Each structure stands twice: as C-alpha cells, then as structure tokens.
Amino acid sequence: MGVSVRGRLSVVALGALVVTLVGAVPAKGATAWRVAALPPLDLSSRLVDVTATGPDSAWAVGAQGYGYGAPTPPRPYALMKWDGRTWSERPLSDDVGGLTGVSAATESDVWTVGQDRQLAPYAAHWDGTDWREYRPLGQTQTPILFDVAAGQGRAVFVGGDAHALVVEWDGQRFAEAAVAGADAWGGTLYGVAAAPDGAAFAVGAWYVGNKGYPEPMIVQRVGSAWRVATLPKVPTARLLGVWARSATDAWAVGTVDYDSAPKPLIMHWDGAVWRRVPAPVTAGSLGAVAGDPAGNLWVSGANPVPPYIRYPGSLFLRYTGGQWSVAYGPKVNNADPYLSALTNIPGTSAFWGVGAVWDPAAETTALIERKD
C-alpha cells in the first residue's frame, strides 16, 4: 500500500454495502475465534503481522503510541513473543520506529521489517539468542518495505519506491532482485509468502498505463527468476494478503473498489495460471489469508458498513474440502476487530490472527485472536 504501517491496516475500514451470502452459511462450533490476553501497550496501538513456528513459539509486530497529536513514546514499535503460555513484549534498539512484517522459518531464524525513527527501511534478524539490526537499503527514506518471508536461511523483503520492490537476503547481504516487467508502471507490493519448496509470491497493486486507478499485481519466483504474473483484468483493486503451499498452489486476497463500495477479491494459482475465485460474500474487504499443509484456508476481512443490519462480529471466510463458508469472530468494545494478518500454528490445525479494534479512548487497540 502506498499505505502506512502495513497499509492493510486502514484501507479496509469502511464500505457502504450490505453483505449478501452466496451459497454459504455461517460456520459454527469448531471454527470459533477467541481474543487472547496481551500485556498493555501505549494508547493507539495495533498489530499488523504474526508468524509461528509451533505451539510454543510465535511472534507478532506492529506499532503503538501513534495517535494523532500524541508525543512519540519511548517504544513506538510493538514486538510480541508467545512462549506457549503468555504473550510478552520484547525490546529492540531505541532507533526503531514501527514494524510492518515478521516471518519465522525456525525458532532461531526470524526476520522483522519496518522503519527506523529516521524513516529509513529497517530489518532485524533473531538467531534464537539476540536480534541483529540492518538497514537493507542504507539510510535512504525513499523506499518502504512492508513485508518479509523467511526460509532456508534466506529472506525476501517487498515494498515500493517508484516501482514495486523486491529485496533478497542470501545469508550474507541484501540485494534488489531483478523482476522482469515490474518497472513498467508505478506500484507497490504489500505482502509476500514463501512456500516450503522455495517458490515465493508477492502481491500488491500497480498503475498500468499510468491510469488513475490501480490494478492487482503479483510477482512470483519459481526457481531463481522473478517475473510479473499475468492476471485477470480487475480495475480499481489491490491485493494485500498472500499464502503459498507450494509452487503450484497459492492464494491471494484483496479488495475491489476499496475506497468506495468494497467488494472481496480472491485469486488462486494452480501452477499454470492465476484465476479469480468467487467469494462467498459479495461485499466487504479482505486483508489476509493463511492455510495449513492440507490446504485448508482462513481469510480475514472487514464487513461493509451496515446501513440496515448489525453483524455478529468480525468477518472470516473459511475454505475446506473445496467449499467456502462464512464465520464471525468476537466483538470487542462492541465493535468488529479487523485482523490484518493470519498464520497457521505448525503441527496443529490452529491459527493466530492479529490486528486492531476501534477504541473510543485510544483510537485503536491492538489485539490477538486464536482459533483452536
């Protein structure tokens, strides 16, 4: 997103249509999501990404104390660690601003990305004992890195400058990756996912033909080469979330008409082509997708503003056995939370989700949800 703190935060907040279910029924019972207990953060906080390596290890990142007119807090970033029992805050250096992405390949190979206090791109790596900090692109303030995917001792960072940007860490150094065709038009990548077999997919939007509206953009790496994927034509849309099971099975989600009358956008890669998949709702916004090794998916999003109805909670879509269903998470502060990131907990069928909910006293309050 030419969007701040993981643009997938605020771009889905509002809509103006009533949701209509198409061939789907609300999911119940085992699909229930619950809110996890967190230590207190500064006013106006939100979490924007989450990663897990097992039932006893997960990380979540975001920002805190960024409310309008508020002084910068001593710790403007949020870095949370799950140890199997509780979530707790963990420190980085005093020069860190907000964090926008986190990804763990193992418990001793974790990357986070964001900006420092001078607004330069920032990254840090956890080796199981300590965090080591980097400036992947030097001290320049121009590029923004929104997300990271770690795997096999390497990492991929994505964002935007004048054009969509991919930066790779090869275990020794950072280097901008050549993506054939990506510099044709201005664009930004907001999310990236790496599959166990080494394939990687990044999603966002670009302004094809220098038009006044964006179209979805996906770049993908199969083998060692990156390329811009051929997609169905979808004007005035962007993709925010992506999950990949393999080089032949990946999903991307986002929103069409996101700034007026938002409608969900789901795309699937089968190893040959990207196809648009009908969503089980006809209105609302989608921000994140995650699956388990069996290919079961959860997608999080936001309900449209209800002129005539009241929703039972935050919006989730579930895909299992080749069928979509609709589920709702719990209300918080009598409002619907928006989860901007989801992740499967390896070795289980459970998921973590992170995001924020409206708080009349603090603008927004960070939260973490779990589905067992």
Side-chain angles (χ1 to χ4, degrees):
M1 305 163 231
V3 184
S4 62
V5 185
R6 187 123 163 154
R8 46 189 133 180
L9 305 175
S10 57
V11 296
V12 299
L14 297 177
L17 297 179
V18 178
V19 69
T20 303
L21 302 187
V22 180
V25 295
K28 300 179 181 179
T31 64
W33 287 78
R34 60 180 174 84
V35 177
L38 293 182
L41 298 173
D42 279 317
L43 296 178
S44 299
S45 61
R46 64 176 74 220
L47 295 171
V48 297
D49 203 8
V50 62
T51 187
T53 57
D56 299 332
S57 179
W59 295 88
V61 300
Q64 57 182 319
Y66 59 86
Y68 179 76
T72 302
R75 186 180 293 178
Y77 63 90
L79 176 65
M80 313 290 289
K81 178 71 169 67
W82 169 256
D83 62 7
R85 302 186 312 275
T86 60
W87 285 95
S88 60
E89 273 199 276
R90 298 300 174 88
L92 292 169
S93 76
D94 291 341
D95 194 38
V96 183
L99 298 174
T100 56
V102 65
S103 178
T106 68
E107 290 188 39
S108 58
D109 183 11
V110 184
W111 283 94
T112 187
V113 65
Q115 290 180 309
D116 65 19
R117 294 201 186 212
Q118 291 72 48
L119 304 182
Y122 167 90
H125 180 257
W126 172 256
D127 63 6
T129 303
D130 297 302
W131 285 98
R132 182 177 180 183
E133 300 180 312
Y134 299 89
R135 300 300 186 276
L137 300 169
Q139 294 296 334
T140 177
Q141 297 180 10
T142 304
I144 299 176
L145 297 177
F146 283 114
D147 201 12
V148 57
Q152 303 174 354
R154 305 167 69 89
V156 177
F157 302 79
V158 299
D161 191 349
H163 306 284
L165 178 66
V166 176
V167 176
E168 293 185 292
W169 166 262
D170 64 4
Q172 299 294 325
R173 66 186 184 90
F174 297 93
E176 183 174 347
V179 185
D183 60 352
W185 313 110
T188 303
L189 298 171
Y190 304 127
V192 61
D197 61 9
F201 302 82
V203 302
W206 60 342
Y207 291 82
V208 177
N210 290 324
K211 293 185 173 64
Y213 56 80
E215 297 180 11
M217 181 184 196
I218 299 177
V219 302
Q220 55 196 74
R221 183 188 68 198
V222 178
S224 60
W226 286 91
R227 65 179 178 84
V228 177
T230 300
L231 303 180
K233 191 79 170 177
V234 187
T236 318
R238 56 184 160 195
L239 296 165
L240 299 183
V242 59
W243 175 76
R245 183 166 65 152
S246 70
T248 59
D249 186 12
W251 293 84
V253 301
T255 309
V256 182
D257 297 332
Y258 51 85
D259 60 353
S260 56
K263 294 171 279 292
L265 176 61
I266 302 175
M267 291 187 172
H268 179 251
W269 168 254
D270 63 6
V273 297
W274 283 95
R275 291 187 173 89
R276 186 172 179 180
V277 177
V281 293
T282 59
S285 306
L286 303 180
V289 57
D292 62 24
N296 302 303
L297 301 180
W298 280 96
V299 177
S300 63
N303 296 308
V305 172
Y308 306 116
I309 65 174
R310 182 176 177 83
Y311 297 98
S314 53
L315 177 66
F316 290 95
L317 308 182
R318 189 185 188 211
Y319 182 79
T320 184
Q323 299 293 322
W324 288 96
S325 58
V326 180
Y328 291 96
K331 284 188 176 293
V332 178
N333 299 335
N334 201 34
D336 295 343
Y338 170 62
L339 299 187
S340 53
L342 304 171
T343 192
N344 173 241
I345 301 173
T348 77
S349 59
F351 286 76
W352 289 111
V354 302
V357 66
W358 170 252
D359 185 334
E363 297 184 11
T364 60
T365 295
L367 85 164
I368 296 179
E369 294 187 19
R370 177 167 173 147
K371 201 290 293 183
D372 290 311

